[in-house]
Amino acid sequence: MKPLIVANWKCNPQTLKGAKLLFNSIKRGMKKIRNVEVVICPPFVYLLTSDKRQATKIKLGGQNCFWKGKGPFTGEVSPKQLLNFGCKYVILGHSERRIYFDETDEMINKKIKAAISVKLNPIFCIGETKEEREKGQTQSILKSQIEKGLKKVSKKEIEKITIAYEPAWAIGTGKPCDTEEAQKMSLLIRKMMARKYSLSIAKKLRMIYGGSVNSKNARDYIKEADFQGLLIGGASLDPKEFIKIVKTISA
Ligand code: PGA
């Protein structure tokens, strides 16, 4: 399986021109890169700009979706709409959505199931906050996020899911989780998945790390901490740095 590098642009850039520039710079930088799967998750309004026809090797993803297929849900975007716009993936349960928009594990579970039902691959984010970590609650938080977020997700469906371990305290802070701790967490999550599903499912599971990734630390998460990819926020807005990360992973 190729490593998966996901660019989460969040609420950036501010103009269509900026989005096109960023997308095209990344596209150019990707020309000779083969053995890495790169996914860009722009704000919804820029999805067509980075349309799959021009995107070639770069895949697209949404940063969120709703659990209902259609109807009177002002401001929401359905999984099918994302699929129709050329998305292959959707980020669900990001800590910023849990924190700022009060997304619960139950809501995230409905979104995961809705995405899978139209063959959109969820990137399911889990991770503890700074307070939870300081109180020693990391393990129980992760367990509960997994249990509730993946409630009634079958063994077959789980194959479509990538788990993103993103400690909220490492996101956008410039303080990444160190490799040793990251490795412990990947082992812990795999153990939880083995208990919930099976050992072979847990072994095959694609797990990515996110939180202050840059071109200096990127490779360590993959080579030393048993992650199969990265979820990148800030550094994905700087095309040079982002391509540098992709190159260090493909090397
Ligand atoms: P960051 O964000 O790389 O800016 O820390 C990661 C994320 O939120 O997915």
Side-chain angles (χ1 to χ4, degrees):
M1 200 192 305
K2 288 182 186 175
L4 176 71
I5 311 279
V6 185
N8 177 10
W9 286 3
K10 309 192 182 184
C11 191
N12 301 293
Q14 294 311 296
T15 62
L16 179 61
K17 197 173 161 202
K20 280 186 180 166
L21 263 172
L22 181 55
F23 186 80
N24 288 331
S25 317
I26 295 176
K27 200 172 115 183
R28 268 197 306 277
M30 284 279 303
K31 270 198 182 124
K32 290 193 189 128
I33 292 164
R34 300 205 187 284
N35 43 356
V36 181
E37 184 177 358
V38 172
V39 181
I40 294 183
C41 302
F44 295 141
V45 288
Y46 299 142
L47 275 172
L48 269 190
T49 326
S50 6
D51 179 274
K52 63 179 172 187
R53 282 180 295 270
Q54 330 163 10
T56 56
K57 279 185 292 184
I58 301 171
K59 293 177 182 153
L60 292 178
Q63 295 177 15
N64 177 35
C65 70
F66 192 46
W67 59 80
K68 292 271 194 191
K70 60 177 179 182
F73 306 107
T74 304
E76 293 297 329
V77 170
S78 77
K80 195 141 200 183
Q81 287 169 330
L82 285 181
L83 197 73
N84 197 248
F85 257 49
C87 289
K88 186 168 185 235
Y89 291 93
V90 60
I91 299 172
L92 294 173
H94 191 281
S95 63
E96 283 153 14
R97 296 209 57 88
R98 292 178 189 262
I99 296 165
Y100 299 121
F101 304 98
D102 293 328
E103 270 194 19
T104 63
D105 294 310
E106 289 71 21
M107 289 157 81
I108 295 158
N109 177 248
K110 285 195 218 172
K111 292 180 179 199
I112 289 177
K113 293 190 72 71
I116 293 176
S117 76
V118 301
K119 298 196 164 51
L120 191 62
N121 301 300
I123 297 169
F124 171 40
C125 302
I126 57 173
E128 76 287 3
T129 62
K130 186 167 177 273
E131 293 72 34
E132 289 159 350
R133 182 177 184 236
E134 282 163 3
K135 284 187 200 153
Q137 296 171 338
T138 301
Q139 191 159 337
S140 62
I141 289 293
L142 293 179
K143 185 158 188 288
S144 143
Q145 288 175 340
I146 287 175
E147 285 304 324
K148 293 179 185 161
L150 297 179
K151 191 171 171 197
K152 295 205 174 128
V153 172
S154 70
K155 283 188 178 176
K156 186 146 182 52
E157 289 171 326
I158 200 73
E159 286 172 15
K160 300 262 171 282
I161 295 180
T162 298
I163 291 191
Y165 171 59
E166 291 213 308
W169 49 267
I171 295 179
T173 56
K175 291 184 191 129
C177 181
D178 67 47
T179 333
E180 211 174 301
E181 187 172 342
Q183 184 176 17
K184 275 188 199 147
M185 301 316 292
S186 72
L187 192 67
L188 180 72
I189 295 166
R190 246 179 247 284
K191 271 190 188 155
M192 288 176 183
M193 292 298 284
R195 234 170 275 139
K196 185 168 170 60
Y197 291 97
S198 72
L199 192 61
S200 72
I201 285 177
K203 274 189 187 159
K204 270 192 277 170
L205 179 75
R206 180 151 70 173
M207 227 182 342
I208 63 178
Y209 167 81
S212 295
V213 172
N214 56 43
S215 57
K216 292 198 180 78
N217 62 22
R219 211 174 136 83
D220 296 347
Y221 294 108
I222 305 210
K223 299 289 166 205
E224 287 167 36
D226 193 26
F227 284 96
Q228 291 72 46
L230 302 162
L231 181 46
I232 302 170
S236 72
L237 299 173
D238 173 349
K240 277 198 189 129
E241 176 69 356
F242 184 70
I243 290 298
K244 227 175 170 182
I245 296 174
V246 175
K247 283 186 176 157
T248 60
I249 302 305
S250 73

